[in-house]
Amino acid sequence: MSFDLVLFGGTGDLAWRKLMPALFQAFRHGTLPAGGRIIGVARDDLSDEQYRALIRARFDEVDLAKRPSPEEFDRFAALLHFLRVDLSKPQDYQRLAADLRERNADTVVMYLATAPSLFTAACEQLAAAGLNTPNTRIVLEKPLGHDLASNRAINETVRRVFSEKQIFRIDHYLGKPSVQNLFALRFGNSLFEPLWRRETIANIQITIAEDLGVEKRGAFYDQTGALRDMVQNHALQLLCALAMEPPINAHADAIRDEKLKVLRSLKAWTPQALAQDVIRGQYSAGNVAGEQVPGYRSEPGVNPDSMTETFVALRAEIANWRWAGVPFYIRTGKRLAGRDARIVVNFRPAPHAIFNSPPGAANRLVIHLQPKDGLELHLLAQGQDNRQQKNAGQSLSPVHLDLDFDKRFGSGRVGAYERLLLDVIDGRLNLFVRSDEQEEAWRWVEPIMEFWRNDNTGPRPYAAGTWGPSAASAMIARDAYCWSEEC
Ligand code: BG6
């Protein structure tokens, strides 16, 4: 099958940091269909050769294991082309159209790895140049808008030009092998399903912690913040995967219908919940892995009086029969104590104690998403021979069943962007987000944005290298629970 993948923003950060390495990995793994072209598109004036040289130089900055040898790069580089396109100039789209028409590939993928403010204009221009043919797919990177209204405006324009089955909205968390394993755990095994409900589960915690700061994206991040950057999309998609009902099959719409129901069932915010159950924080200077790092307000591109949050912790509830009353805690932030994304499912303690168990001990399932990818099941067992002690033989200690997917399946597993790009080329929509899901997620976070706009106390400071403001621990402690690293 021949394909043309047109990468708008072809010289940008996302292209060289994530997309090119992912395409190269697919090429190396032999999964990139033969007969393809990858066409970088940007305003720069570059020849194919200059573009290849630029990408080659950038590969020096990606993970060593993912770096190509010179010979390998040359073979990959034969797929790379460059076309100068100014997104505001109709004649440039005409040139692109002429190039694509000449080749007449089976599939054409338009990947908009540009600022979202350009999406609407780009789609209209693509249509005007006759580039919205049935064999064309369009890929939109997050963030898709900055609130519900702007998200809708983008989606409406894109849908005027392309049908929903041509639109691939990326949330790269859905492409992570660990997140796919979450679906496999829930819907490929029958073991947990009877336990996956309010009667047995006390609370669920979703943590996406990063040790990095805002790096070179200060200006973008300062307009965005953790709620829009991580909660509205990645964290809520994880929550959907955890809370959704089993879909009737593995087709895209069956999965998306169930995720949508979860988003629609999220309990609406009350003024009291907004004041108590959402904590925002901003990192100040601190120490991360032995290195002194500056505070957020001193990062390049960030307003020195910025009120933007780099941390959010919140308590959500899902109002349906399966989950009523079970708190779902979501927490994400930059410059936290480590890079660690995990889901912790805390089961209810045994209903009647006949053993001596450590205080608060109960079963727990830890789903490690990154950097480790695996499952840990915490059980209580009688390990030591304690006949000499009082209550002989009756004291239990925690033990773990530990499953390491990297060890089990090897580290050559397909990465998130690699997987998603191949899915776009193959036309598989399962791991992409539908517009109604996105809108529902925006609808749910908007009251938080509104509340913060009117609350000038601003985000709570936390020292870089910690787990965020202590208010996040106080929030969960009100339910008599604690974050998994604290208990
Ligand atoms: C992106 C956010 O969507 O996800 C970034 O914009 C964040 O701010 C990144 O750093 C995290 O992705 P990952 O795959 O490194 O967890």
Side-chain angles (χ1 to χ4, degrees):
M1 182 199 71
S2 61
F3 72 89
D4 275 341
L5 193 161
V6 185
L7 204 52
F8 291 85
T11 51
D13 199 59
L14 184 74
W16 71 262
R17 236 171 11 98
K18 300 272 189 195
L19 305 180
M20 283 296 176
L23 287 163
F24 170 70
Q25 286 306 314
F27 174 78
R28 181 184 259 177
H29 293 148
T31 45
L32 195 63
R37 284 196 307 174
I38 300 164
I39 308 168
V41 155
R43 259 190 307 196
D44 314 56
D45 200 0
L46 299 174
S47 66
D48 287 355
E49 274 318 314
Q50 285 168 320
Y51 186 55
R52 289 169 188 158
L54 183 90
I55 298 297
R56 183 199 298 267
R58 290 291 174 83
F59 264 95
D60 290 345
E61 294 169 47
V62 308
D63 277 359
L64 198 56
K66 295 189 176 158
R67 248 181 246 172
S69 68
E71 302 72 47
E72 252 181 329
F73 185 83
D74 286 344
R75 277 187 283 121
F76 173 64
L79 308 181
L80 301 182
H81 301 269
F82 186 81
L83 209 68
R84 185 175 51 75
V85 173
D86 181 335
L87 291 186
S88 63
K89 291 197 178 140
Q91 64 272 30
D92 286 9
Y93 291 84
Q94 294 293 351
R95 273 195 301 113
L96 174 64
D99 179 278
L100 296 175
R101 237 176 265 126
E102 190 179 321
R103 180 136 185 285
N104 196 21
D106 298 329
T107 300
V108 177
V109 176
M110 304 283 180
Y111 198 124
L112 298 189
T114 59
S117 52
L118 301 173
F119 287 177
T120 307
C123 281
E124 280 164 354
Q125 296 285 0
L126 288 173
L131 282 168
N132 53 340
T133 54
N135 65 339
T136 302
R137 292 170 194 150
I138 180 128
V139 186
L140 304 171
E141 260 297 334
K142 71 162 262 290
L144 217 61
H146 55 273
D147 57 11
L148 180 59
S150 54
N151 174 263
R152 272 197 181 145
I154 295 174
N155 274 328
E156 275 166 19
T157 317
V158 182
R159 273 197 309 246
R160 268 202 303 275
V161 177
F162 295 99
S163 70
E164 187 66 37
K165 67 178 194 319
Q166 292 175 286
I167 308 174
F168 291 71
R169 296 180 193 80
I170 290 238
D171 182 311
H172 78 280
Y173 266 60
L174 291 179
K176 288 182 187 281
S178 52
V179 176
Q180 280 152 50
N181 257 323
L182 176 56
F183 286 97
L185 174 80
R186 288 206 55 210
F187 308 128
N189 295 280
S190 59
L191 183 67
F192 287 107
E193 174 51 24
L195 308 176
W196 213 255
R197 57 195 66 251
R198 62 194 298 279
E199 290 79 4
T200 14
I201 291 181
N203 67 82
I204 296 190
Q205 303 178 7
I206 300 171
T207 297
I208 312 177
E210 296 184 86
D211 50 358
L212 293 179
V214 288
E215 306 295 291
K216 294 177 186 148
R217 300 159 74 222
F220 158 79
Y221 194 88
D222 212 30
Q223 300 297 316
T224 308
L227 186 72
R228 290 184 175 94
D229 190 41
M230 300 295 287
V231 176
Q232 188 273 342
N233 33 75
H234 305 323
L236 284 184
Q237 284 292 326
L238 293 179
L239 177 121
C240 286
L242 284 163
M244 68 195 265
E245 293 301 315
I248 53 166
N249 58 39
H251 294 153
D253 277 333
I255 297 171
R256 293 147 144 209
D257 287 347
E258 295 305 337
K259 288 196 288 168
L260 180 65
K261 280 192 218 156
V262 174
L263 293 165
R264 287 194 173 143
S265 318
L266 280 165
K267 203 163 153 190
W269 292 106
T270 60
Q272 195 196 3
L274 286 167
Q276 287 188 357
D277 293 345
V278 190
I279 307 296
R280 60 175 159 160
Q282 187 188 73
Y283 63 84
S284 45
N287 196 294
V288 175
E291 205 181 300
Q292 194 59 29
V293 296
Y296 175 69
R297 292 182 182 183
S298 315
E299 299 276 18
V302 171
N303 178 340
D305 301 318
S306 175
M307 298 271 272
T308 301
E309 78 288 353
T310 61
F311 173 95
V312 178
L314 59 80
R315 178 190 191 281
E317 274 189 46
I318 297 171
N320 65 18
W321 276 50
R322 190 189 279 267
W323 294 117
V326 177
F328 284 74
Y329 303 104
I330 291 177
R331 175 176 59 158
T332 184
K334 300 230 177 250
R335 286 286 190 229
L336 295 183
R339 177 167 188 255
D340 185 356
R342 75 184 112 105
I343 293 162
V344 177
V345 181
N346 285 311
F347 292 91
R348 294 189 187 283
H352 170 63
I354 62 167
F355 298 111
N356 292 328
S357 304
N363 299 131
R364 170 181 283 184
L365 177 69
V366 185
I367 304 167
H368 290 281
L369 303 177
Q370 67 185 27
K372 186 175 163 186
D373 178 4
L375 292 177
E376 257 171 50
L377 184 59
H378 296 205
L379 304 167
L380 292 163
Q382 191 170 296
Q384 274 153 18
D385 181 354
N386 44 15
R387 266 169 299 178
Q388 308 312 318
Q389 295 172 10
K390 202 167 150 235
N391 295 325
Q394 297 190 344
S395 292
L396 303 187
S397 340
V399 287
H400 302 170
L401 284 172
D402 203 341
L403 181 58
D404 181 332
F405 288 130
D406 286 325
K407 263 199 204 136
R408 176 65 187 78
F409 297 117
S411 53
R413 294 163 72 204
V414 175
Y417 271 103
E418 181 181 351
R419 167 73 198 254
L420 295 175
L421 282 160
L422 290 172
D423 280 359
V424 178
I425 295 171
D426 286 351
R428 268 195 306 270
L429 276 160
N430 303 29
L431 301 177
F432 297 83
V433 183
R434 209 167 53 191
S435 61
D436 47 6
E437 290 178 71
Q438 268 185 345
E439 286 184 14
E440 212 52 60
W442 277 116
R443 191 168 290 120
W444 190 69
V445 298
E446 272 208 332
I448 306 176
M449 288 159 27
E450 170 78 26
F451 181 79
W452 286 349
R453 258 197 304 278
N454 299 319
D455 167 27
N456 46 24
T457 51
R460 296 163 196 262
Y462 62 95
T466 65
W467 280 102
S470 56
S473 302
M475 175 191 80
I476 194 168
R478 265 205 323 274
D479 292 338
Y481 298 132
C482 45
W483 295 107
S484 58
E485 77 280 354
E486 295 170 343
C487 57

